[in-house]
mmCIF file of all heavy atoms in Angstrom:
data_model
loop_
_atom_site.group_PDB
_atom_site.id
_atom_site.type_symbol
_atom_site.label_atom_id
_atom_site.label_comp_id
_atom_site.label_asym_id
_atom_site.label_seq_id
_atom_site.Cartn_x
_atom_site.Cartn_y
_atom_site.Cartn_z
ATOM 1 N N ALA M 1 94.165 91.350 92.507
ATOM 2 C CA ALA M 1 94.025 90.326 91.472
ATOM 3 C C ALA M 1 92.629 89.711 91.435
ATOM 4 O O ALA M 1 92.067 89.483 90.360
ATOM 5 C CB ALA M 1 95.069 89.238 91.679
ATOM 6 N N GLU M 2 92.053 89.441 92.590
ATOM 7 C CA GLU M 2 90.732 88.791 92.615
ATOM 8 C C GLU M 2 89.668 89.673 91.967
ATOM 9 O O GLU M 2 88.885 89.222 91.121
ATOM 10 C CB GLU M 2 90.330 88.454 94.048
ATOM 11 C CG GLU M 2 88.994 87.723 94.136
ATOM 12 C CD GLU M 2 88.616 87.369 95.558
ATOM 13 O OE1 GLU M 2 89.465 87.444 96.462
ATOM 14 O OE2 GLU M 2 87.441 87.011 95.759
ATOM 15 N N ALA M 3 89.635 90.942 92.347
ATOM 16 C CA ALA M 3 88.660 91.867 91.763
ATOM 17 C C ALA M 3 88.908 92.053 90.273
ATOM 18 O O ALA M 3 87.965 92.145 89.482
ATOM 19 C CB ALA M 3 88.711 93.211 92.482
ATOM 20 N N ARG M 4 90.174 92.087 89.876
ATOM 21 C CA ARG M 4 90.489 92.315 88.465
ATOM 22 C C ARG M 4 90.082 91.140 87.583
ATOM 23 O O ARG M 4 89.876 91.300 86.381
ATOM 24 C CB ARG M 4 91.979 92.620 88.285
ATOM 25 C CG ARG M 4 92.375 94.002 88.707
ATOM 26 C CD ARG M 4 91.701 95.086 87.851
ATOM 27 N NE ARG M 4 92.267 95.156 86.527
ATOM 28 C CZ ARG M 4 91.615 94.910 85.409
ATOM 29 N NH1 ARG M 4 90.338 94.563 85.443
ATOM 30 N NH2 ARG M 4 92.216 95.015 84.244
ATOM 31 N N ARG M 5 89.971 89.955 88.175
ATOM 32 C CA ARG M 5 89.491 88.816 87.377
ATOM 33 C C ARG M 5 88.004 88.942 87.079
ATOM 34 O O ARG M 5 87.510 88.366 86.106
ATOM 35 C CB ARG M 5 89.762 87.501 88.112
ATOM 36 C CG ARG M 5 91.210 87.037 88.045
ATOM 37 C CD ARG M 5 91.359 85.617 88.532
ATOM 38 N NE ARG M 5 91.159 85.508 89.973
ATOM 39 C CZ ARG M 5 92.136 85.645 90.875
ATOM 40 N NH1 ARG M 5 93.365 85.910 90.482
ATOM 41 N NH2 ARG M 5 91.881 85.523 92.169
ATOM 42 N N ARG M 6 87.289 89.697 87.898
ATOM 43 C CA ARG M 6 85.833 89.782 87.764
ATOM 44 C C ARG M 6 85.349 91.121 87.218
ATOM 45 O O ARG M 6 84.385 91.186 86.451
ATOM 46 C CB ARG M 6 85.189 89.526 89.129
ATOM 47 C CG ARG M 6 83.690 89.418 89.117
ATOM 48 C CD ARG M 6 83.156 89.132 90.497
ATOM 49 N NE ARG M 6 83.594 90.119 91.468
ATOM 50 C CZ ARG M 6 83.067 91.343 91.577
ATOM 51 N NH1 ARG M 6 82.110 91.730 90.758
ATOM 52 N NH2 ARG M 6 83.505 92.186 92.488
ATOM 53 N N VAL M 7 86.000 92.205 87.612
ATOM 54 C CA VAL M 7 85.544 93.545 87.244
ATOM 55 C C VAL M 7 86.315 94.030 86.025
ATOM 56 O O VAL M 7 87.543 94.037 86.018
ATOM 57 C CB VAL M 7 85.735 94.532 88.416
ATOM 58 C CG1 VAL M 7 85.220 95.911 88.029
ATOM 59 C CG2 VAL M 7 85.035 94.031 89.666
ATOM 60 N N ARG M 8 85.576 94.432 85.007
ATOM 61 C CA ARG M 8 86.198 94.967 83.789
ATOM 62 C C ARG M 8 86.316 96.481 83.917
ATOM 63 O O ARG M 8 85.418 97.148 84.441
ATOM 64 C CB ARG M 8 85.357 94.618 82.570
ATOM 65 C CG ARG M 8 85.045 93.135 82.427
ATOM 66 C CD ARG M 8 86.133 92.410 81.701
ATOM 67 N NE ARG M 8 86.027 92.652 80.256
ATOM 68 C CZ ARG M 8 86.999 92.392 79.399
ATOM 69 N NH1 ARG M 8 88.145 91.918 79.818
ATOM 70 N NH2 ARG M 8 86.825 92.611 78.115
ATOM 71 N N LEU M 9 87.418 97.016 83.413
ATOM 72 C CA LEU M 9 87.685 98.451 83.528
ATOM 73 C C LEU M 9 87.534 99.115 82.163
ATOM 74 O O LEU M 9 88.120 98.661 81.176
ATOM 75 C CB LEU M 9 89.085 98.683 84.086
ATOM 76 C CG LEU M 9 89.374 98.002 85.434
ATOM 77 C CD1 LEU M 9 90.765 98.378 85.933
ATOM 78 C CD2 LEU M 9 88.308 98.334 86.479
ATOM 79 N N VAL M 10 86.751 100.195 82.140
ATOM 80 C CA VAL M 10 86.356 100.853 80.896
ATOM 81 C C VAL M 10 86.949 102.256 80.844
ATOM 82 O O VAL M 10 86.790 103.048 81.775
ATOM 83 C CB VAL M 10 84.817 100.942 80.798
ATOM 84 C CG1 VAL M 10 84.393 101.597 79.480
ATOM 85 C CG2 VAL M 10 84.183 99.555 80.952
ATOM 86 N N GLY M 11 87.613 102.570 79.744
ATOM 87 C CA GLY M 11 88.116 103.924 79.513
ATOM 88 C C GLY M 11 87.185 104.675 78.585
ATOM 89 O O GLY M 11 86.881 104.197 77.488
ATOM 90 N N VAL M 12 86.702 105.847 79.019
ATOM 91 C CA VAL M 12 85.759 106.642 78.238
ATOM 92 C C VAL M 12 86.522 107.781 77.558
ATOM 93 O O VAL M 12 87.147 108.609 78.230
ATOM 94 C CB VAL M 12 84.635 107.209 79.122
ATOM 95 C CG1 VAL M 12 83.650 108.030 78.288
ATOM 96 C CG2 VAL M 12 83.916 106.076 79.860
ATOM 97 N N PHE M 13 86.451 107.821 76.226
ATOM 98 C CA PHE M 13 87.183 108.806 75.440
ATOM 99 C C PHE M 13 86.234 109.546 74.498
ATOM 100 O O PHE M 13 85.305 108.945 73.956
ATOM 101 C CB PHE M 13 88.268 108.119 74.615
ATOM 102 C CG PHE M 13 89.305 107.395 75.443
ATOM 103 C CD1 PHE M 13 89.102 106.070 75.820
ATOM 104 C CD2 PHE M 13 90.460 108.040 75.853
ATOM 105 C CE1 PHE M 13 90.052 105.404 76.591
ATOM 106 C CE2 PHE M 13 91.414 107.379 76.614
ATOM 107 C CZ PHE M 13 91.209 106.060 76.989
ATOM 108 N N VAL M 14 86.505 110.820 74.281
ATOM 109 C CA VAL M 14 85.655 111.633 73.414
ATOM 110 C C VAL M 14 86.386 112.056 72.149
ATOM 111 O O VAL M 14 85.887 111.876 71.045
ATOM 112 C CB VAL M 14 85.128 112.880 74.164
ATOM 113 C CG1 VAL M 14 84.313 113.764 73.231
ATOM 114 C CG2 VAL M 14 84.297 112.463 75.366
ATOM 115 N N ARG M 15 87.586 112.591 72.276
ATOM 116 C CA ARG M 15 88.219 113.243 71.118
ATOM 117 C C ARG M 15 89.572 112.687 70.705
ATOM 118 O O ARG M 15 90.120 113.073 69.681
ATOM 119 C CB ARG M 15 88.331 114.748 71.378
ATOM 120 C CG ARG M 15 89.128 115.109 72.590
ATOM 121 C CD ARG M 15 88.992 116.590 72.937
ATOM 122 N NE ARG M 15 87.836 116.825 73.784
ATOM 123 C CZ ARG M 15 87.045 117.879 73.688
ATOM 124 N NH1 ARG M 15 87.260 118.798 72.782
ATOM 125 N NH2 ARG M 15 86.024 118.016 74.491
ATOM 126 N N GLU M 16 90.135 111.782 71.498
ATOM 127 C CA GLU M 16 91.477 111.289 71.207
ATOM 128 C C GLU M 16 91.498 110.386 69.971
ATOM 129 O O GLU M 16 90.498 109.744 69.623
ATOM 130 C CB GLU M 16 92.031 110.507 72.408
ATOM 131 C CG GLU M 16 92.253 111.344 73.652
ATOM 132 C CD GLU M 16 91.008 111.546 74.479
ATOM 133 O OE1 GLU M 16 89.907 111.113 74.055
ATOM 134 O OE2 GLU M 16 91.104 112.147 75.557
ATOM 135 N N SER M 17 92.657 110.302 69.336
ATOM 136 C CA SER M 17 92.836 109.386 68.202
ATOM 137 C C SER M 17 92.902 107.952 68.728
ATOM 138 O O SER M 17 93.135 107.720 69.925
ATOM 139 C CB SER M 17 94.130 109.710 67.455
ATOM 140 O OG SER M 17 95.260 109.366 68.254
ATOM 141 N N THR M 18 92.727 106.998 67.833
ATOM 142 C CA THR M 18 92.787 105.602 68.270
ATOM 143 C C THR M 18 94.176 105.238 68.795
ATOM 144 O O THR M 18 94.292 104.444 69.734
ATOM 145 C CB THR M 18 92.382 104.644 67.134
ATOM 146 O OG1 THR M 18 93.188 104.894 65.981
ATOM 147 C CG2 THR M 18 90.909 104.810 66.781
ATOM 148 N N ASP M 19 95.223 105.820 68.233
ATOM 149 C CA ASP M 19 96.578 105.564 68.739
ATOM 150 C C ASP M 19 96.733 106.097 70.158
ATOM 151 O O ASP M 19 97.309 105.431 71.033
ATOM 152 C CB ASP M 19 97.634 106.203 67.837
ATOM 153 C CG ASP M 19 97.827 105.452 66.521
ATOM 154 O OD1 ASP M 19 97.383 104.283 66.431
ATOM 155 O OD2 ASP M 19 98.400 106.030 65.587
ATOM 156 N N GLU M 20 96.225 107.295 70.401
ATOM 157 C CA GLU M 20 96.293 107.883 71.744
ATOM 158 C C GLU M 20 95.462 107.071 72.734
ATOM 159 O O GLU M 20 95.875 106.854 73.888
ATOM 160 C CB GLU M 20 95.798 109.328 71.704
ATOM 161 C CG GLU M 20 96.737 110.282 70.976
ATOM 162 C CD GLU M 20 96.124 111.639 70.732
ATOM 163 O OE1 GLU M 20 94.881 111.729 70.573
ATOM 164 O OE2 GLU M 20 96.891 112.622 70.694
ATOM 165 N N ILE M 21 94.308 106.616 72.290
ATOM 166 C CA ILE M 21 93.448 105.807 73.157
ATOM 167 C C ILE M 21 94.141 104.502 73.523
ATOM 168 O O ILE M 21 94.180 104.100 74.696
ATOM 169 C CB ILE M 21 92.099 105.530 72.472
ATOM 170 C CG1 ILE M 21 91.287 106.822 72.375
ATOM 171 C CG2 ILE M 21 91.312 104.460 73.233
ATOM 172 C CD1 ILE M 21 90.048 106.709 71.504
ATOM 173 N N ALA M 22 94.691 103.817 72.542
ATOM 174 C CA ALA M 22 95.350 102.529 72.797
ATOM 175 C C ALA M 22 96.518 102.702 73.771
ATOM 176 O O ALA M 22 96.707 101.877 74.678
ATOM 177 C CB ALA M 22 95.825 101.909 71.492
ATOM 178 N N ALA M 23 97.279 103.769 73.600
ATOM 179 C CA ALA M 23 98.412 104.015 74.495
ATOM 180 C C ALA M 23 97.936 104.242 75.929
ATOM 181 O O ALA M 23 98.504 103.702 76.891
ATOM 182 C CB ALA M 23 99.223 105.211 73.999
ATOM 183 N N ALA M 24 96.873 105.041 76.092
ATOM 184 C CA ALA M 24 96.331 105.308 77.425
ATOM 185 C C ALA M 24 95.762 104.038 78.051
ATOM 186 O O ALA M 24 95.957 103.788 79.253
ATOM 187 C CB ALA M 24 95.251 106.383 77.335
ATOM 188 N N MET M 25 95.075 103.261 77.274
ATOM 189 C CA MET M 25 94.495 102.012 77.778
ATOM 190 C C MET M 25 95.576 101.062 78.280
ATOM 191 O O MET M 25 95.444 100.447 79.340
ATOM 192 C CB MET M 25 93.673 101.340 76.670
ATOM 193 C CG MET M 25 92.410 102.070 76.276
ATOM 194 S SD MET M 25 91.081 101.939 77.503
ATOM 195 C CE MET M 25 90.642 100.198 77.347
ATOM 196 N N ARG M 26 96.650 100.933 77.520
ATOM 197 C CA ARG M 26 97.739 100.048 77.932
ATOM 198 C C ARG M 26 98.410 100.557 79.204
ATOM 199 O O ARG M 26 98.695 99.780 80.117
ATOM 200 C CB ARG M 26 98.762 99.911 76.812
ATOM 201 C CG ARG M 26 98.319 99.004 75.668
ATOM 202 C CD ARG M 26 99.467 98.672 74.740
ATOM 203 N NE ARG M 26 99.965 99.854 74.037
ATOM 204 C CZ ARG M 26 99.523 100.262 72.859
ATOM 205 N NH1 ARG M 26 98.558 99.581 72.237
ATOM 206 N NH2 ARG M 26 100.026 101.334 72.283
ATOM 207 N N ARG M 27 98.671 101.850 79.274
ATOM 208 C CA ARG M 27 99.335 102.421 80.446
ATOM 209 C C ARG M 27 98.492 102.270 81.711
ATOM 210 O O ARG M 27 99.023 102.040 82.804
ATOM 211 C CB ARG M 27 99.663 103.892 80.206
ATOM 212 C CG ARG M 27 100.863 104.118 79.289
ATOM 213 C CD ARG M 27 100.972 105.567 78.869
ATOM 214 N NE ARG M 27 101.020 106.490 80.004
ATOM 215 C CZ ARG M 27 100.690 107.778 79.936
ATOM 216 N NH1 ARG M 27 100.273 108.304 78.790
ATOM 217 N NH2 ARG M 27 100.770 108.544 81.008
ATOM 218 N N ALA M 28 97.179 102.408 81.566
ATOM 219 C CA ALA M 28 96.295 102.321 82.729
ATOM 220 C C ALA M 28 95.882 100.886 83.056
ATOM 221 O O ALA M 28 95.383 100.629 84.147
ATOM 222 C CB ALA M 28 95.048 103.171 82.499
#
């Protein structure tokens, strides 16, 4: 929890649709 308050997590995507990206982002 402490690290997650400070460190932002970035998902890098190349070819997925925005719906697929949003689903992956939420799951991760």
Side-chain angles (χ1 to χ4, degrees):
E2 182 179 346
R4 285 296 287 117
R5 283 192 290 271
R6 187 179 55 77
V7 182
R8 306 274 282 165
L9 304 184
V10 181
V12 180
F13 299 88
V14 177
R15 59 190 87 218
E16 295 83 355
S17 70
T18 55
D19 286 344
E20 290 170 330
I21 291 170
M25 292 286 291
R26 284 192 295 269
R27 284 169 55 203

